[in-house]
Amino acid sequence: MNEVTTVQGPLSAEQLAKMNAYWRAANYLSVGQIYLKDNPLLDRPLTLDDVKPRLLGHWGTTPGLNFLYVHWNRLIRERELNMIYIIGPGHGGPGLVANTYLEGSYTEIYPHIEQNRDGIKRLFRQFSWPYGIPSHVAPETPGSIHEGGELGYSLVHAYGAAYDNPDLIVACVVGDGEAETGPLATSWHSNKFLNPLTDGAVLPILHLNGYKIANPTILSRIPHAELENLMRGYGYEPYTLEGNDPMTMHQQAAAVFDAMLDRIAAIQKAAREEGSTARPAWPMLIMRTPKGWTGPKFVDGKPVEGTWRAHQVPLDGIFQNPEHLAQLEAWMRSYKPEELFDEKGRFRADLAEIAPKGRLRMGMNAHANGGLLLKPLNVPNFRDFAVKIEGRGQADVESTRVLGHLLHAVMQANAEQKNFRVFGPDETASNRLDDVITGTGKAWMASTLPVDENLSETGRVMEVLSEHMCQGWLEGYLLTGRHGFFNCYEAFIHIIDSMANQHAKWLKVARGIPWRKPIASLNYLLSSLVWRQDHNGFSHQDPGFIDHLMNKKADVVRIYLPPDANTLLSVSDHCLRSRNYINLIVAGKQPAPQWLTIDEAVAHCTLGLGVWKWASDDDPEVVMACCGDVPTLEALAAVCLLRARVPDLRIRVVNVVDLMALQPQSEHPHGLPDEEFDQLFPVGIPVVFAFHGYPWLIHRLTYRRHNHDNIHVRGYKEEGTTTTPFDMCVLNNIDRFQLALDVIRRVPRLAPKVDAAEQWYSEAIQRHKLYVAENGDDLPEIKEWRWPRN
Ligand SMILES: Cc1ncc(C[n+]2csc(CCOP(=O)(O)OP(=O)(O)O)c2C)c(N)n1
Ligand SMILES: [Mg+2]
């Protein structure tokens, strides 16, 4: 790059001086947060008593983030931009705290962090301090929707925020290390789904500070032209900003950002006023600045600024090394705090004035506290989509197809307010939710061919073969105050396990922060379930996401396994209206028997679990429990087998929709009180439990229940292949014959029948195996089995 040596540029001399002073103040406050607990403005020489005993934080990324913040402030003021700022390297938390403090948002939200010397002292002390604030950008940080502790999601969050927000600009810093992650690498493609007519803009900054924790980054060590070509290949128009002389950099940055924002404005104008439908090449910036810019150049003779050594705390061992203390003081004084803060310790008014005011401040932008903007979702009456039950279990219905009708209606009902989207990794049709696509279309800004169906520049169903992108878009969409629904194959949702963790953590913390308003829940529908992977086999068989979510805070997670279409409708209605949860719905897409009328379904879902009286006897000797659609079918078929073999056996059928109801109330708000649990599962009565997922989860949930010793669970035990639906059950011992045998083994008075029952079981299974091997399909008596009419 050409080295520009002049400080001429779009900024006036006064502007330049003020912006640089503002940046120095942000850098000063960032270093102060990492190091100091006292003497905040260096009114006296720094001593060890002023320094925190544990130095925790990340300096390296921070000056670059601060530099950008100052420039966003100018642009927001000059152009009255509605802008939020997402930083991929969320470990640059001190920078955003410093800037929201300087612009006044921080004090407005946290009045004890006053605009004076004491306030700065508290600001410093609280950072990375027990019961203070975390070292990363966090829900506690004003203006943030992105934690950034786990790298990789900044750009996808930014796009999620920009969709359907035509006036919003999301500035997004991507760390050059972060850029190496899978989710980030694919996130660049989000531009193929962003419509300049109806969506906002994302302004990506690839921050090439050259290093990660201990290594160079790939993108900083390939030729610049190759990197530009990479970005062009992703469909962007790359701009470059490079250097380390602050004044020169401010001028160059101002020029480049003016050009980029003009470009964004031109793209939007072309789409909004001139009718252009072309897919634009949106501007993005490659910014090369030294890691740890303006920090110590050398420590103990080794280079630090501009190297990986600047990543965390560049001067450590302060207590052992007086030279480091002196170097810290010199570093902090290099920002000239006496020029930045007045005698009371207040940020000087002539500098503070260059920040935007009111809601334009990025720390106060309502989009970063989405609950403020949340409009309730219009959910049409789900009863209108109910399946008519003419005889229990007599007709087969694809439950998710029924849900598709409801989602279609939801889409239509919110078409005007444009605050609902459905996300899926190319599986929405496969999961039989196609109805939601009708009329709405699938978002697509790339080229189309006559063979394509339902692709639309204004589509509201988002399909991309990246679970990471679906999850990240949805999170960004929800965090900015909208609603959404993510459907996915059950086995592959694990790809976003970690993202779900991070969102759950965000929700947990945000709940405890009064100024963060509730946001819509993150709703998952998992379909194409473990039991019915008829085409795909073992790779597609994994119900473990339930276990994964179960580890999260009870306040945040809800898990539902509706056994038929009407219960699925009732559960989905509830989830779509809820706030601040992660709702997991597990429901099959294959034609399956339907059990409950819509009124019964609502009552059943309200309780979360209950006796199916129509399938049960009074005064039971055994409880047949079931959770999930296929296990429910097998359990009911087992009841029929038992009624034939042991006609006087008294069986109770309990179906569980809300998995959390199994836990004690002390563990989860949905937990059934012990007395009610004991009524359903009376002490001393054996329970044979057919569960959709891994069986040990049911033990984990019920181990404190009085009757736990009598609960015997069948579930998926990692046996699978491409085989018939019933053979999958047999392989995992959750089939009707096994369940019936389990009952005979567990009910004490049936002990004399066990030998004969075992014989009967092996014959039945042998017959099944032979038939399946021979015919490639299940026995007619299995396939055509129906619940005896009642
Ligand atoms: C997914 C993930 N893997 C690893 C880490 C550990 N980690 C924290 S910071 C960092 C380096 C980040 O480098 P970069 O994105 O370039 O950020 P910067 O240089 O701006 O600090 C790593 C590997 C992480 N936070 N998240
Ligand atoms: Mg880096």
Side-chain angles (χ1 to χ4, degrees), residues 150-154 156-157 183 187 466-473 475 486 493-506 522 524 545 548 582:
E150 187 167 291
L151 300 168
Y153 316 134
S154 58
V156 76
H157 281 165
S187 297
S466 163
E467 286 76 7
H468 289 121
M469 284 169 80
C470 293
Q471 172 83 20
W473 284 343
E475 289 176 0
F486 180 1
I493 193 69
H494 273 304
I495 289 169
I496 57 78
D497 275 3
S498 207
M499 294 180 81
N501 283 343
Q502 299 302 322
H503 191 68
K505 286 175 197 294
W506 180 282
L522 195 161
Y524 293 105
F545 191 65
H548 178 69
I582 294 180

Side-chain angles (χ1 to χ4, degrees), residues 90 93 96-97 110 133-149 506 509-510 513 515-516:
L96 289 212
V97 170
Y110 303 108
I133 63 166
S135 68
H136 286 66
V137 176
E140 290 92 335
T141 317
S144 178
I145 59 164
H146 178 83
E147 210 265 25
W506 180 282
V509 176
I513 300 176
W515 58 270
R516 285 233 174 241

Side-chain angles (χ1 to χ4, degrees), residues 28 82 112 123 139 188 193 236 356 381 402 426 522 580 623 630:
Y28 179 84
N82 176 6
H112 65 292
L123 183 85
W188 297 106
F193 300 83
Y236 293 87
N381 187 353
V402 176
D426 189 30
L522 195 161
N580 273 350
V623 175
V630 168

Side-chain angles (χ1 to χ4, degrees), residues 46-58:
L46 198 61
T47 70
L48 287 179
D49 284 344
D50 301 327
V51 178
K52 294 182 182 184
R54 300 164 71 239
L55 299 175
L56 311 162
H58 300 79

Side-chain angles (χ1 to χ4, degrees), residues 17 53 129 138 261 317 341 391 420 441 464 476 481 551 556 569 588 605 623 629 664 755:
W129 191 267
L261 282 160
F341 301 94
F420 180 65
V464 62
N551 294 326
V556 170
L569 284 174
C605 293
V623 175
D629 46 15
D755 285 352

Side-chain angles (χ1 to χ4, degrees), residues 407-626:
L407 292 177
H408 177 254
V410 172
M411 202 57 109
Q412 301 308 313
N414 297 280
E416 212 161 296
Q417 60 185 35
K418 290 201 173 71
N419 63 346
F420 180 65
R421 289 195 184 222
V422 169
F423 302 82
D426 189 30
E427 289 157 6
T428 306
S430 168
N431 286 331
R432 318 252 159 115
L433 299 173
D434 353 357
D435 202 25
V436 72
I437 297 166
T438 317
T440 306
K442 295 178 281 187
W444 191 259
M445 291 295 292
S447 63
T448 55
L449 293 173
V451 69
D452 299 330
E453 285 181 355
N454 295 316
L455 299 182
S456 160
E457 282 154 7
T458 53
R460 311 192 60 74
V461 175
M462 311 280 290
E463 295 227 86
V464 62
L465 211 173
S466 163
E467 286 76 7
H468 289 121
M469 284 169 80
C470 293
Q471 172 83 20
W473 284 343
L474 174 55
E475 289 176 0
Y477 202 65
L478 297 174
L479 286 160
T480 46
R482 284 79 65 71
H483 306 260
F485 196 88
F486 180 1
N487 77 95
C488 189
Y489 281 9
E490 183 182 43
F492 304 139
I493 193 69
H494 273 304
I495 289 169
I496 57 78
D497 275 3
S498 207
M499 294 180 81
N501 283 343
Q502 299 302 322
H503 191 68
K505 286 175 197 294
W506 180 282
L507 290 177
K508 173 189 180 282
V509 176
R511 260 169 194 277
I513 300 176
W515 58 270
R516 285 233 174 241
K517 298 300 169 208
I519 58 168
S521 300
L522 195 161
N523 300 309
Y524 293 105
L525 170 77
L526 301 189
S527 199
S528 304
L529 304 178
V530 52
W531 302 108
R532 294 303 308 271
Q533 284 298 339
D534 312 3
H535 293 280
N536 296 311
F538 201 33
S539 61
H540 288 52
Q541 292 159 351
D542 193 308
F545 191 65
I546 302 175
D547 303 68
H548 178 69
L549 274 193
M550 196 56 90
N551 294 326
K552 304 295 125 202
K553 271 288 180 202
D555 292 350
V556 170
V557 173
R558 304 286 181 267
I559 301 177
Y560 303 99
L561 293 102
D564 67 3
N566 286 340
T567 46
L568 174 59
L569 284 174
S570 172
V571 160
S572 303
D573 173 74
H574 175 78
C575 294
L576 287 168
R577 294 171 191 277
S578 71
R579 300 278 182 270
N580 273 350
Y581 296 143
I582 294 180
N583 293 310
L584 175 64
I585 307 171
V586 182
K589 67 181 186 184
Q590 301 291 350
Q594 302 295 309
W595 308 109
L596 302 187
T597 66
I598 192 69
D599 288 336
E600 289 170 339
V602 172
H604 186 49
C605 293
T606 307
L607 288 172
L609 77 178
V611 176
W612 280 5
K613 291 216 175 70
W614 47 269
S616 301
D617 304 301
D618 293 336
D619 189 20
E621 297 166 275
V622 64
V623 175
M624 183 72 86
C626 46

Side-chain angles (χ1 to χ4, degrees), residues 281-292:
W282 292 92
M284 64 80 57
L285 182 70
I286 298 167
M287 178 168 112
R288 285 184 203 265
T289 58
K291 192 153 185 168

Side-chain angles (χ1 to χ4, degrees), residues 576-752:
L576 287 168
R577 294 171 191 277
S578 71
R579 300 278 182 270
N580 273 350
Y581 296 143
I582 294 180
N583 293 310
L584 175 64
I585 307 171
V586 182
K589 67 181 186 184
Q590 301 291 350
Q594 302 295 309
W595 308 109
L596 302 187
T597 66
I598 192 69
D599 288 336
E600 289 170 339
V602 172
H604 186 49
C605 293
T606 307
L607 288 172
L609 77 178
V611 176
W612 280 5
K613 291 216 175 70
W614 47 269
S616 301
D617 304 301
D618 293 336
D619 189 20
E621 297 166 275
V622 64
V623 175
M624 183 72 86
C626 46
C627 180
D629 46 15
V630 168
T632 299
L633 170 64
E634 289 307 309
L636 288 169
V639 168
C640 288
L641 291 173
L642 285 164
R643 293 223 165 105
R645 280 197 75 76
V646 194
D648 65 340
L649 181 65
R650 299 186 307 281
I651 308 170
R652 166 182 287 176
V653 174
V654 172
N655 180 268
V656 180
V657 180
D658 177 351
L659 203 53
M660 299 304 196
L662 293 175
Q663 293 184 88
Q665 243 179 346
S666 55
E667 301 296 317
H668 196 280
H670 287 192
L672 205 62
D674 270 338
E675 313 77 65
E676 289 174 39
F677 191 92
D678 290 348
Q679 277 167 19
L680 286 177
F681 303 100
V683 175
I685 301 288
V687 179
V688 172
F689 199 130
F691 176 49
H692 171 86
Y694 292 103
W696 15 96
L697 180 62
I698 299 297
H699 290 296
R700 186 175 146 195
L701 295 173
T702 57
Y703 83 103
R704 285 209 198 133
R705 297 296 194 178
H706 298 136
N707 203 32
H708 179 247
D709 285 355
N710 280 315
I711 296 179
H712 310 283
V713 189
R714 296 288 184 182
Y716 181 65
K717 48 184 197 186
E718 210 60 26
E719 288 294 338
T721 175
T722 309
T723 185
T724 67
F726 186 67
D727 197 47
M728 269 303 291
C729 295
V730 171
L731 286 173
N732 290 281
N733 299 102
I734 195 178
D735 62 276
R736 57 198 70 181
F737 299 108
Q738 179 72 60
L739 297 175
L741 176 62
D742 286 348
V743 168
I744 292 170
R745 281 179 174 155
R746 299 293 177 190
V747 174
R749 82 168 167 93
L750 301 183

